[in-house]
Amino acid sequence: MADGSKQSHTNLSTAQLIEFALARGEGELTANGALVAKTGERTGRSPNDRFIVKEASSENEIDWGSVNKPFEMDAFNTLWDRVKTYLLNKETFVSELEVGADVEHYQPISGCRC
C-alpha cells in the first residue's frame, strides 16, 4: 500500500481473491469465468531451488539428495527474518491450510503471520 500501512487478509474465499486479482490488474476472466493470472517473465517451477529445513523431527524421514536438499535451521531463520522485515509494510494474503484429507494423517500448514 502506498502509505506504508500494512493490511493483512486472512482466509479469503476464492471469489474474494479473484476480485483482488482483477482490481489489481493481475489477471482477467476467461469466457467461462476462470481467472487467468498474468505471471510475468518468471514463470514455472525451479526444481533445483527446492530446500527442506533439516531438523530432528523429520531428518530421518526425508529422502535427501539432489531433489530434497537440506537447509540448515540457522540459515532458514536468517532468511525468514529478512522476509518478515520485507513484508512489514506490504499488503499480505494469508491462507491457513492443511495437507491430506484423512483426519489421522493430515498436516496443518501455517501461513506467514508477518
Side-chain angles (χ1 to χ4, degrees), residues 98-107:
E98 53 192 48
V99 176
D102 188 306
V103 176
E104 255 186 80
H105 303 289
Y106 87 99
Q107 293 292 312

Side-chain angles (χ1 to χ4, degrees), residues 12-83:
L12 296 182
S13 68
T14 300
Q16 290 171 310
L17 289 168
I18 289 171
E19 287 177 25
F20 268 103
L22 295 174
R24 296 157 64 118
E26 297 170 343
E28 54 190 49
L29 292 180
T30 64
N32 69 357
L35 178 71
V36 176
K38 298 177 183 176
T39 58
E41 293 178 20
R42 299 179 192 266
T43 63
R45 297 177 53 239
S46 297
N48 292 327
D49 295 334
R50 177 181 171 148
F51 299 90
I52 301 172
V53 173
K54 190 171 187 177
E55 48 81 36
S57 74
S58 64
E59 74 177 305
N60 294 326
E61 305 298 321
I62 306 290
D63 183 18
W64 300 109
S66 62
V67 174
N68 298 321
K69 299 174 192 167
F71 197 66
E72 295 303 321
M73 182 64 78
D74 288 342
F76 172 80
N77 288 333
T78 299
L79 180 59
W80 190 247
D81 287 343
R82 287 180 58 198
V83 169

Side-chain angles (χ1 to χ4, degrees), residues 9-13 16 94-97 113:
H9 309 279
T10 303
N11 295 328
L12 296 182
S13 68
Q16 290 171 310
V94 177
S95 294
E96 298 169 320
L97 305 170
R113 295 259 178 229

